[in-house]
mmCIF file of all heavy atoms in Angstrom:
data_model
loop_
_atom_site.group_PDB
_atom_site.id
_atom_site.type_symbol
_atom_site.label_atom_id
_atom_site.label_comp_id
_atom_site.label_asym_id
_atom_site.label_seq_id
_atom_site.Cartn_x
_atom_site.Cartn_y
_atom_site.Cartn_z
ATOM 1 N N ILE A 2 143.742 -42.681 -32.611
ATOM 2 C CA ILE A 2 142.450 -43.229 -32.186
ATOM 3 C C ILE A 2 141.321 -42.627 -33.020
ATOM 4 O O ILE A 2 140.399 -43.338 -33.432
ATOM 5 C CB ILE A 2 142.220 -42.953 -30.678
ATOM 6 C CG1 ILE A 2 143.262 -43.689 -29.836
ATOM 7 C CG2 ILE A 2 140.822 -43.326 -30.250
ATOM 8 C CD1 ILE A 2 143.145 -45.189 -29.894
ATOM 9 N N THR A 3 141.412 -41.331 -33.288
ATOM 10 C CA THR A 3 140.377 -40.662 -34.078
ATOM 11 C C THR A 3 140.301 -41.240 -35.482
ATOM 12 O O THR A 3 139.205 -41.542 -35.984
ATOM 13 C CB THR A 3 140.650 -39.145 -34.151
ATOM 14 O OG1 THR A 3 140.787 -38.642 -32.828
ATOM 15 C CG2 THR A 3 139.549 -38.419 -34.873
ATOM 16 N N SER A 4 141.426 -41.406 -36.124
ATOM 17 C CA SER A 4 141.453 -41.934 -37.481
ATOM 18 C C SER A 4 140.937 -43.368 -37.515
ATOM 19 O O SER A 4 140.172 -43.742 -38.417
ATOM 20 C CB SER A 4 142.869 -41.873 -38.041
ATOM 21 O OG SER A 4 142.915 -42.417 -39.339
ATOM 22 N N LEU A 5 141.349 -44.186 -36.553
ATOM 23 C CA LEU A 5 140.873 -45.568 -36.513
ATOM 24 C C LEU A 5 139.376 -45.634 -36.218
ATOM 25 O O LEU A 5 138.669 -46.500 -36.760
ATOM 26 C CB LEU A 5 141.666 -46.373 -35.488
ATOM 27 C CG LEU A 5 143.131 -46.625 -35.844
ATOM 28 C CD1 LEU A 5 143.837 -47.340 -34.709
ATOM 29 C CD2 LEU A 5 143.261 -47.402 -37.141
ATOM 30 N N ALA A 6 138.874 -44.739 -35.370
ATOM 31 C CA ALA A 6 137.433 -44.705 -35.088
ATOM 32 C C ALA A 6 136.650 -44.328 -36.343
ATOM 33 O O ALA A 6 135.608 -44.932 -36.640
ATOM 34 C CB ALA A 6 137.142 -43.721 -33.957
ATOM 35 N N ILE A 7 137.164 -43.355 -37.088
ATOM 36 C CA ILE A 7 136.511 -42.974 -38.346
ATOM 37 C C ILE A 7 136.523 -44.160 -39.312
ATOM 38 O O ILE A 7 135.520 -44.466 -39.954
ATOM 39 C CB ILE A 7 137.188 -41.740 -38.956
ATOM 40 C CG1 ILE A 7 136.898 -40.510 -38.102
ATOM 41 C CG2 ILE A 7 136.729 -41.517 -40.395
ATOM 42 C CD1 ILE A 7 137.717 -39.297 -38.475
ATOM 43 N N GLY A 8 137.663 -44.841 -39.407
ATOM 44 C CA GLY A 8 137.758 -46.012 -40.262
ATOM 45 C C GLY A 8 136.814 -47.119 -39.831
ATOM 46 O O GLY A 8 136.218 -47.802 -40.667
ATOM 47 N N PHE A 9 136.644 -47.294 -38.516
ATOM 48 C CA PHE A 9 135.726 -48.314 -38.009
ATOM 49 C C PHE A 9 134.286 -47.977 -38.397
ATOM 50 O O PHE A 9 133.535 -48.848 -38.849
ATOM 51 C CB PHE A 9 135.858 -48.447 -36.490
ATOM 52 C CG PHE A 9 135.115 -49.617 -35.923
ATOM 53 C CD1 PHE A 9 135.682 -50.875 -35.909
ATOM 54 C CD2 PHE A 9 133.832 -49.467 -35.419
ATOM 55 C CE1 PHE A 9 135.002 -51.966 -35.399
ATOM 56 C CE2 PHE A 9 133.134 -50.547 -34.918
ATOM 57 C CZ PHE A 9 133.721 -51.800 -34.897
ATOM 58 N N VAL A 10 133.908 -46.717 -38.227
ATOM 59 C CA VAL A 10 132.546 -46.295 -38.574
ATOM 60 C C VAL A 10 132.315 -46.438 -40.079
ATOM 61 O O VAL A 10 131.274 -46.964 -40.506
ATOM 62 C CB VAL A 10 132.281 -44.850 -38.099
ATOM 63 C CG1 VAL A 10 130.982 -44.313 -38.667
ATOM 64 C CG2 VAL A 10 132.266 -44.789 -36.576
ATOM 65 N N LEU A 11 133.266 -45.987 -40.886
ATOM 66 C CA LEU A 11 133.120 -46.126 -42.340
ATOM 67 C C LEU A 11 133.066 -47.599 -42.757
ATOM 68 O O LEU A 11 132.285 -47.988 -43.635
ATOM 69 C CB LEU A 11 134.257 -45.410 -43.060
ATOM 70 C CG LEU A 11 134.231 -43.877 -42.978
ATOM 71 C CD1 LEU A 11 135.490 -43.296 -43.610
ATOM 72 C CD2 LEU A 11 132.985 -43.323 -43.630
ATOM 73 N N GLY A 12 133.892 -48.424 -42.115
ATOM 74 C CA GLY A 12 133.862 -49.857 -42.393
ATOM 75 C C GLY A 12 132.544 -50.484 -41.990
ATOM 76 O O GLY A 12 132.003 -51.345 -42.705
ATOM 77 N N PHE A 13 132.002 -50.049 -40.856
ATOM 78 C CA PHE A 13 130.706 -50.556 -40.395
ATOM 79 C C PHE A 13 129.616 -50.232 -41.412
ATOM 80 O O PHE A 13 128.803 -51.087 -41.770
ATOM 81 C CB PHE A 13 130.363 -49.970 -39.022
ATOM 82 C CG PHE A 13 129.059 -50.459 -38.467
ATOM 83 C CD1 PHE A 13 128.986 -51.668 -37.808
ATOM 84 C CD2 PHE A 13 127.898 -49.711 -38.617
ATOM 85 C CE1 PHE A 13 127.781 -52.132 -37.296
ATOM 86 C CE2 PHE A 13 126.693 -50.156 -38.118
ATOM 87 C CZ PHE A 13 126.631 -51.369 -37.451
ATOM 88 N N VAL A 14 129.616 -48.987 -41.891
ATOM 89 C CA VAL A 14 128.616 -48.572 -42.882
ATOM 90 C C VAL A 14 128.790 -49.377 -44.177
ATOM 91 O O VAL A 14 127.804 -49.852 -44.757
ATOM 92 C CB VAL A 14 128.703 -47.052 -43.147
ATOM 93 C CG1 VAL A 14 127.838 -46.650 -44.328
ATOM 94 C CG2 VAL A 14 128.303 -46.278 -41.898
ATOM 95 N N ALA A 15 130.021 -49.550 -44.631
ATOM 96 C CA ALA A 15 130.275 -50.307 -45.859
ATOM 97 C C ALA A 15 129.817 -51.758 -45.701
ATOM 98 O O ALA A 15 129.197 -52.333 -46.612
ATOM 99 C CB ALA A 15 131.754 -50.252 -46.221
ATOM 100 N N LEU A 16 130.107 -52.359 -44.552
ATOM 101 C CA LEU A 16 129.680 -53.738 -44.316
ATOM 102 C C LEU A 16 128.165 -53.837 -44.183
ATOM 103 O O LEU A 16 127.565 -54.840 -44.600
ATOM 104 C CB LEU A 16 130.365 -54.293 -43.068
ATOM 105 C CG LEU A 16 131.857 -54.555 -43.215
ATOM 106 C CD1 LEU A 16 132.482 -54.871 -41.869
ATOM 107 C CD2 LEU A 16 132.109 -55.676 -44.206
ATOM 108 N N TRP A 17 127.553 -52.811 -43.634
ATOM 109 C CA TRP A 17 126.098 -52.821 -43.509
ATOM 110 C C TRP A 17 125.446 -52.784 -44.890
ATOM 111 O O TRP A 17 124.425 -53.437 -45.118
ATOM 112 C CB TRP A 17 125.639 -51.636 -42.661
ATOM 113 C CG TRP A 17 124.158 -51.628 -42.435
ATOM 114 C CD1 TRP A 17 123.461 -52.385 -41.543
ATOM 115 C CD2 TRP A 17 123.191 -50.848 -43.137
ATOM 116 N NE1 TRP A 17 122.125 -52.124 -41.638
ATOM 117 C CE2 TRP A 17 121.925 -51.173 -42.615
ATOM 118 C CE3 TRP A 17 123.279 -49.900 -44.141
ATOM 119 C CZ2 TRP A 17 120.762 -50.595 -43.071
ATOM 120 C CZ3 TRP A 17 122.103 -49.316 -44.592
ATOM 121 C CH2 TRP A 17 120.867 -49.663 -44.061
ATOM 122 N N VAL A 18 126.050 -52.038 -45.794
ATOM 123 C CA VAL A 18 125.515 -51.946 -47.157
ATOM 124 C C VAL A 18 125.545 -53.319 -47.832
ATOM 125 O O VAL A 18 124.614 -53.682 -48.552
ATOM 126 C CB VAL A 18 126.295 -50.895 -47.990
ATOM 127 C CG1 VAL A 18 125.947 -50.975 -49.459
ATOM 128 C CG2 VAL A 18 126.020 -49.492 -47.451
ATOM 129 N N VAL A 19 126.593 -54.095 -47.590
ATOM 130 C CA VAL A 19 126.721 -55.415 -48.228
ATOM 131 C C VAL A 19 126.424 -56.545 -47.246
ATOM 132 O O VAL A 19 126.938 -57.652 -47.388
ATOM 133 C CB VAL A 19 128.135 -55.588 -48.845
ATOM 134 C CG1 VAL A 19 128.347 -54.599 -49.974
ATOM 135 C CG2 VAL A 19 129.216 -55.482 -47.802
ATOM 136 N N ARG A 20 125.589 -56.286 -46.266
ATOM 137 C CA ARG A 20 125.321 -57.268 -45.203
ATOM 138 C C ARG A 20 124.714 -58.569 -45.723
ATOM 139 O O ARG A 20 124.800 -59.599 -45.072
ATOM 140 C CB ARG A 20 124.437 -56.671 -44.125
ATOM 141 C CG ARG A 20 123.037 -56.347 -44.546
ATOM 142 C CD ARG A 20 122.280 -55.610 -43.437
ATOM 143 N NE ARG A 20 120.967 -55.211 -43.868
ATOM 144 C CZ ARG A 20 120.686 -54.102 -44.562
ATOM 145 N NH1 ARG A 20 121.661 -53.291 -44.893
ATOM 146 N NH2 ARG A 20 119.450 -53.824 -44.902
ATOM 147 N N GLY A 21 124.119 -58.545 -46.905
ATOM 148 C CA GLY A 21 123.555 -59.766 -47.477
ATOM 149 C C GLY A 21 124.610 -60.797 -47.826
ATOM 150 O O GLY A 21 124.298 -61.977 -47.994
ATOM 151 N N LEU A 22 125.865 -60.382 -47.912
ATOM 152 C CA LEU A 22 126.945 -61.310 -48.245
ATOM 153 C C LEU A 22 127.412 -62.130 -47.042
ATOM 154 O O LEU A 22 128.164 -63.080 -47.205
ATOM 155 C CB LEU A 22 128.141 -60.538 -48.815
ATOM 156 C CG LEU A 22 127.895 -59.733 -50.096
ATOM 157 C CD1 LEU A 22 129.135 -58.927 -50.445
ATOM 158 C CD2 LEU A 22 127.522 -60.672 -51.225
ATOM 159 N N PHE A 23 126.979 -61.735 -45.856
ATOM 160 C CA PHE A 23 127.451 -62.383 -44.626
ATOM 161 C C PHE A 23 126.292 -63.080 -43.929
ATOM 162 O O PHE A 23 125.151 -62.627 -44.009
ATOM 163 C CB PHE A 23 128.046 -61.343 -43.670
ATOM 164 C CG PHE A 23 129.185 -60.569 -44.269
ATOM 165 C CD1 PHE A 23 128.997 -59.273 -44.737
ATOM 166 C CD2 PHE A 23 130.445 -61.120 -44.373
ATOM 167 C CE1 PHE A 23 130.031 -58.555 -45.283
ATOM 168 C CE2 PHE A 23 131.492 -60.412 -44.918
ATOM 169 C CZ PHE A 23 131.285 -59.127 -45.385
ATOM 170 N N PRO A 24 126.587 -64.162 -43.220
ATOM 171 C CA PRO A 24 125.522 -64.781 -42.421
ATOM 172 C C PRO A 24 125.125 -63.827 -41.296
ATOM 173 O O PRO A 24 125.953 -63.093 -40.759
ATOM 174 C CB PRO A 24 126.172 -66.052 -41.869
ATOM 175 C CG PRO A 24 127.638 -65.813 -41.953
ATOM 176 C CD PRO A 24 127.860 -64.858 -43.095
ATOM 177 N N ASP A 25 123.848 -63.821 -40.955
ATOM 178 C CA ASP A 25 123.345 -62.906 -39.922
ATOM 179 C C ASP A 25 123.726 -63.431 -38.536
ATOM 180 O O ASP A 25 123.179 -64.417 -38.065
ATOM 181 C CB ASP A 25 121.835 -62.772 -40.036
ATOM 182 C CG ASP A 25 121.279 -61.746 -39.059
ATOM 183 O OD1 ASP A 25 122.053 -60.881 -38.606
ATOM 184 O OD2 ASP A 25 120.079 -61.814 -38.758
ATOM 185 N N ASP A 26 124.696 -62.767 -37.915
ATOM 186 C CA ASP A 26 125.101 -63.164 -36.565
ATOM 187 C C ASP A 26 124.772 -62.086 -35.536
ATOM 188 O O ASP A 26 125.216 -62.145 -34.401
ATOM 189 C CB ASP A 26 126.595 -63.499 -36.522
ATOM 190 C CG ASP A 26 127.472 -62.286 -36.772
ATOM 191 O OD1 ASP A 26 126.943 -61.247 -37.193
ATOM 192 O OD2 ASP A 26 128.686 -62.381 -36.531
#
């Protein structure tokens, strides 16, 4: 759970950085 939570947070940050590539939902 800890590793997946870290991966989720890192993924969230990475997606936030490239948020212009996605429609704003």
Side-chain angles (χ1 to χ4, degrees):
I2 296 294
T3 306
S4 178
L5 292 176
I7 290 170
F9 189 84
V10 170
L11 290 174
F13 181 83
V14 171
L16 290 170
W17 183 79
V18 169
V19 295
R20 67 186 176 276
L22 300 175
F23 302 102
D25 185 21
D26 66 348

